[in-house]
Structures are given as C-alpha cells and as structure tokens.
Amino acid sequence: MTTTLRFDNIGKVFPGVRALDSVSFEVKAGSVHGLLGENGAGKSTLLKVLGGEYQPDSGRVLIDGDERRFSSAKDSIAAGIAVIHQELQYVPDLTVAENLMLGRLPNSVGWVHMRESKQYVRERLNAMGVDLDVNKKLRQLSIAQRQMVEICKALMRNAKVIALDEPTSSLSHHETEVLFKLVHDLRAEGHALIYVSHRLDEIYELCNGATIFRDGRKVASHDTLEGVSRDTLVREMVGREISDIWGYRPRKAGEVRLEVRNIEGKKLAEPTSFSVRSGEILGFFGLVGAGRSELMRLIYGADSKKGGEVLLDGKPIKISRTGDAIRQGIVLCPEDRKEEGIIAIASVSENINISCRRHSLRAGLFLDHKKEAQTADAFIQRLKIKTPSRRQRIRFLSGGNQQKAILSRWLAEPDLKVVILDEPTRGIDVGAKHEIYNVIYELAERGCAIVMISSELPEVLGVSDRIIAMKQGRIAGELTRAQASEASVLDLALPSGHPKKTQPVAA
C-alpha cells in the first residue's frame, strides 16, 4: 500500500500561539486515519494547511512522495484534495445545486446551463443515497442538511485525499449512516481519508489508525486501533484519566420554575405544554426536524408564537423578543454558534460580556472596562478557553472554544433562572464535555432549571433527570431517569416503521 499523504514536521505559529509544532504522520491510500485531540489542539489548523487556507511556517506536505505547496484553497483542490470543515462554508442565498457546482458551473459564452447542472447534481446525489431538494436555498435547510451539502460538495470533486472535520456533529442518525457508507466506499476505492471526531465509536468503526494531538503536538500515533482501548485514547487526548464522562450528580428538584402551556408555532404540530423544576435537568431528544429547537425559540422570543403562555415561578410572563427573556433570567445557547451565537469580528471578552453589559455600567452611562476584563478573564480560566488573550477575535478560536465563550456569556448573567442549551457539546472534545457537564450540574445545584436539547442519545441519558421525546412537531412522551433507556427513548422518538438502532456513543 503506497503512501498518498504525508505531513513532515509541519509547524504553524500565530501571534502568541504555537498552533502546530513539528507534526509528522502519514495516511495511506485505501485507509481512514483518525485525528483526535481536545479543542484547540491543532487539528483544524492542520486541515487548513492541507486545504491551502494557511501556509505552514515550517515543514512539508507530500502527496505520492512529491512536495506540494498550496498558496490558496484553489491550489489544494487542483491537487485532488477536499477538506470538509467543521464550520460550514456555503453561500446561504444560493440553491443546493448552485452550492454544489460553485466554481465549475457548465456554461457557454457566459451563459450558465442550470438545467444541465441540476440534472447532474440530482444524479450524483441519488448515487450517494442523499435526499436533498436541488432547488432549495441553503438558508432554508436545517443545519444537518447544510452539513450534508458540504460533504457532497467534497465528494463530487472526486478528490483522492479527503479530510472530514467533525462531519456528523449535526447529522441525524439516518444521515450518519449514509455518511458511514460513503466513507467505507471511498476507502474501498483507494482514497486516503482523514477523519476528525470526538466520538470514539465513530473512530473505532471507520478508522484504520489514529494520531492524537495535544497543544499543537503529536503525542501518539497508532497504525492500528486493534487492542487500543478507549481509556488509552482519552488519556492521550486530555493527559489524564476520565473514567465517567457524564459524572452525573443527583440532586433534589424544587418547585416548578418554568411552565409552558399550550404554546403554538408554525413548526409545531399541536399546542405544546411541559414544565421543568428548579434544580432539574430536563433533556429533549428527537430526530432532526422533530421540533425541539423550534419549541425553544418560541419560549425564548426568537420566533413569534401564535398562542399559549409561559409561566416563571408560577406567574405568567410576557416574552415578545429575546431581550424580554434575558431580563426575566431565561437564556438560550443556540445550536448554530456561527450564525446565531458568536459575533465573529468581536473579541472573546466582548462576546462574553455582550448580554450582561447593562450590569457593567457606571452611573447608567459609562462602561466599566475593568469589570468586563475581570469577568472575561474569570470565565476564560473557569471554562479553560484556549485563547492568547481576552482581546483575541473569537473567529480565530476553535469551534469548541467558541462554544465555551457563548456558555460563559450566560453564566455571567447574575440572575439566571432558566438555561436552555441547544446541542451544548456539538463539536466539543471529551475533556471539555466533562467540564461543561460539571458547569450544568453547578447551575442546577444553584436552583436553575436546565433544558438541554441533544441529538446524542447517550448524552441525554447520561446527564438528564427527566427526558422528553419529540416526534414530528409534538411531544411523543416523557420518561424519568430510572425509566429511560436507549430502547425506550428511541421507541418514543422514532416514526413508526423506522428501524430502532441505537446511536453512536459520544466519547
């Protein structure tokens, strides 16, 4: 088996940060090589070097033994490389077909042949087993569907080297199965694949070997994963033992803190009601499109509700927009951190302080910059956000560290009563997940009511005190922690006739 791709002593330095330090490993043709490490360990930086977005300060990239230098993404693509990034790269106002054919639309004398493009895209999607409407604009699709578009875009380039960065972080169970089949097929066809994931079950199912990063360095590499335990990989990733990632901490729930009565919205099939107690963690599970996020957006004032009411501590409250919810002590961490969570051009400090800035005013007029700096520094330390300083623009942080900054934003609110977390650990490493779960338990122990949406069933089972399953825009059932199992929750969440297979377990 010949070597298709080799990284030889790759180094990359940003102001105040050594992102990659003499990284070397190889990926052979017809193999899938796992890339593991905590958020900020350097995995995405290496893929950006491979994709031509960054140029290495030292070292070489070799393809089939020949050194290649990429000054742009165009050079990388021309060399037969496709990189699917964790943060999606798409044009929201173009259709599925236009996004998939971007840069290579068939044309003559300046006229684009869209009918021909659409037919070609339909045929390729059908061959891959992907069901997408080629005429829909990307902004009309769910996060999972946009992720599939990005994956298909790379596969349609017929690249010989394909790198996937957290490709299943937003996919449904069915879409994950489609992706796994595609990866198996590509490996059998002789492609070389790099697969980045925090879900160890995926690594064991798909990868021949794996390389582990920590703080920009390669700390271990395994040519085969046979005989390599999960505990070994976790220890290599985080530098310590984590025997129980969930670390569930039982506590006594108080009175009902948040009650939702007969709330109605465009994407809900019927008026919906539920409640959550002070100190309780209520998990919401369902397939992509089940209505979980839509329900929370109605409660939070991000979308307009058509009917129903929200009660806080037994009293009806009026929430017409998100600011009303925040002032009442109700906050939401959104699923799509890139579009709805971070302010990309602002600093880490500004992103942490933006919602609680009203508490940092002197005489109601002047910002207390010293107080904001102290708040930012405290949460950077508490949640172990990897950043050169609080002044760093948040867009330069890894996805997981951006997520920690968003969570810090709400933790900085002094009068929290209800915390809604929509996919809080999407794209986050095992060590950071453990830290975030501890923060969730601390909030519950303080008396906050926690509502957590997750597409990872083991996470819902591991962290929640009670679980609500949604299906096709309505609540399908409710289970206590003692009643809940993978089978019982899936039985509620899956449409009739859908195969009840358990989901991959996150690391």
Side-chain angles (χ1 to χ4, degrees):
M1 189 180 288
T2 59
T3 300
T4 300
L5 172 67
R6 178 171 176 78
F7 296 103
D8 183 21
N9 290 310
I10 299 292
K12 182 65 182 176
V13 178
F14 297 106
V17 177
R18 182 172 289 278
L20 295 171
D21 188 358
S22 301
V23 171
S24 299
F25 68 92
E26 63 183 24
V27 184
K28 296 182 183 296
S31 72
V32 183
H33 195 82
L35 200 55
L36 303 170
E38 293 187 278
N39 295 113
K43 308 181 301 297
S44 295
T45 301
L46 184 70
L47 296 194
K48 288 180 179 179
V49 168
L50 179 64
E53 294 181 55
Y54 296 156
Q55 286 70 51
D57 297 317
S58 59
R60 305 178 300 164
V61 176
L62 297 97
I63 299 177
D64 293 330
D66 297 325
E67 182 178 351
R68 304 299 295 265
R69 294 187 176 274
F70 309 129
S71 59
S72 67
K74 183 178 180 181
D75 291 344
S76 175
I77 293 168
I81 294 169
V83 179
I84 303 164
H85 295 287
Q86 180 182 352
E87 300 299 335
L88 306 182
Q89 314 287 323
Y90 58 84
V91 185
D93 288 315
L94 294 185
T95 66
V96 169
E98 290 166 334
N99 270 273
L100 289 174
M101 296 296 291
L102 200 60
R104 53 196 186 100
L105 285 163
N107 65 90
S108 56
V109 200
W111 293 96
V112 174
H113 304 306
M114 281 311 304
R115 181 179 297 178
E116 180 183 333
S117 293
K118 290 177 184 178
Q119 183 58 32
Y120 173 73
V121 169
R122 285 193 190 97
E123 290 173 358
R124 291 299 302 270
L125 292 179
N126 287 337
M128 289 187 279
V130 177
D131 182 19
L132 287 170
D133 183 347
V134 299
N135 294 307
K136 270 200 170 182
K137 291 184 177 181
L138 266 285
R139 68 168 63 256
Q140 297 174 293
L141 304 182
S142 68
I143 297 295
Q145 290 170 322
R146 296 176 204 175
Q147 182 86 302
M148 285 305 294
V149 170
E150 283 297 288
I151 292 166
C152 293
K153 185 194 299 181
L155 299 181
M156 285 173 62
R157 291 175 183 156
N158 297 318
K160 58 183 177 182
V161 176
I162 301 172
L164 302 100
D165 191 357
E166 294 288 345
T168 64
S169 60
S170 298
L171 300 188
S172 69
H173 184 53
H174 171 68
E175 289 161 332
T176 297
E177 289 180 330
V178 171
L179 174 67
F180 283 10
K181 182 182 183 302
L182 291 172
V183 170
H184 285 300
D185 290 347
L186 289 166
R187 182 172 62 185
E189 292 168 7
H191 296 263
L193 294 99
I194 296 175
Y195 194 91
V196 180
S197 180
H198 297 305
R199 302 178 179 182
L200 293 187
D201 275 17
E202 294 183 6
I203 296 295
Y204 280 108
E205 179 168 346
L206 297 176
C207 298
N208 302 91
T211 293
I212 294 86
F213 280 20
R214 195 188 318 144
D215 299 325
R217 293 185 176 91
K218 183 187 79 173
V219 296
S221 197
H222 304 281
D223 293 331
T224 177
L225 293 175
E226 290 183 18
V228 181
S229 70
R230 296 170 64 93
D231 290 344
T232 297
L233 292 181
V234 170
R235 185 175 63 253
E236 290 171 343
M237 279 191 285
V238 303
R240 64 188 189 278
E241 297 282 352
I242 299 180
S243 56
D244 177 11
I245 184 177
W246 318 119
Y248 177 74
R249 290 167 14 193
R251 76 210 74 80
K252 186 176 180 180
E255 299 298 318
V256 171
R257 170 133 279 181
L258 176 73
E259 185 176 0
V260 176
R261 291 181 181 171
N262 298 315
I263 200 165
E264 296 180 77
K266 290 181 180 178
K267 296 185 179 180
L268 295 181
E270 61 189 22
T272 301
S273 303
F274 73 91
S275 64
V276 56
R277 296 177 176 275
S278 168
E280 183 182 30
I281 301 171
L282 175 63
F284 268 78
F285 180 77
L287 301 182
V288 173
R292 302 162 302 164
S293 298
E294 291 79 6
L295 173 59
M296 299 308 153
R297 289 176 62 87
L298 292 172
I299 296 167
Y300 188 59
D303 293 335
S304 298
K305 60 180 182 291
K306 295 193 289 185
E309 61 179 346
V310 177
L311 291 81
L312 187 65
D313 293 327
K315 298 178 181 177
I317 57 173
K318 183 179 179 181
I319 299 177
S320 301
R321 53 182 182 268
T322 57
D324 298 335
I326 294 170
R327 280 186 285 274
Q328 294 283 354
I330 302 172
V331 301
L332 180 146
C333 289
E335 176 188 13
D336 189 344
R337 58 173 168 258
K338 185 177 179 181
E339 289 197 3
E340 299 178 340
I342 65 168
I343 303 170
I345 62 172
S347 69
V348 175
S349 178
E350 290 170 310
N351 271 274
I352 290 174
N353 283 285
I354 190 69
S355 74
C356 63
R357 186 154 272 175
R358 66 192 185 280
H359 301 297
S360 300
L361 294 175
R362 291 179 294 179
L365 295 172
F366 305 102
L367 272 178
D368 188 337
H369 294 289
K370 184 177 180 181
K371 182 177 179 181
E372 288 203 344
Q374 290 172 343
T375 298
D377 287 342
F379 283 105
I380 288 170
Q381 182 178 6
R382 180 180 172 188
L383 269 69
K384 300 178 182 176
I385 300 173
K386 291 184 178 178
T387 177
S389 76
R390 62 175 177 272
R391 299 180 185 88
Q392 175 73 291
R393 288 189 180 182
I394 197 168
R395 66 187 179 93
F396 293 118
L397 271 58
S398 69
N401 283 299
Q402 291 175 2
Q403 188 81 329
K404 289 184 186 179
I406 297 168
L407 186 57
S408 298
R409 175 188 304 165
W410 300 127
L411 294 176
E413 282 286 341
D415 302 314
L416 276 184
K417 293 180 180 176
V418 179
V419 180
I420 303 171
L421 303 164
D422 195 350
E423 304 287 0
T425 65
R426 182 170 72 88
I428 289 182
D429 65 78
V430 58
K433 283 183 179 182
H434 189 64
E435 293 158 8
I436 287 176
Y437 297 147
N438 282 330
V439 171
I440 292 173
Y441 298 140
E442 288 173 18
L443 286 169
E445 287 160 2
R446 277 169 40 186
C448 290
I450 310 293
V451 179
M452 185 185 76
I453 297 171
S454 178
S455 298
E456 295 184 22
L457 182 49
E459 180 173 74
V460 175
L461 293 169
V463 176
S464 306
D465 301 305
R466 185 163 52 96
I467 297 169
I468 287 177
M470 289 193 70
K471 176 171 62 179
Q472 298 171 335
R474 56 172 58 86
I475 288 177
E478 179 183 316
L479 298 166
T480 65
R481 182 178 179 85
Q483 294 170 329
S485 65
E486 289 202 7
S488 61
V489 176
L490 285 171
D491 190 58
L492 292 172
L494 293 179
S496 57
H498 195 289
K500 295 176 173 58
K501 292 178 65 176
T502 56
Q503 294 198 339
V505 179

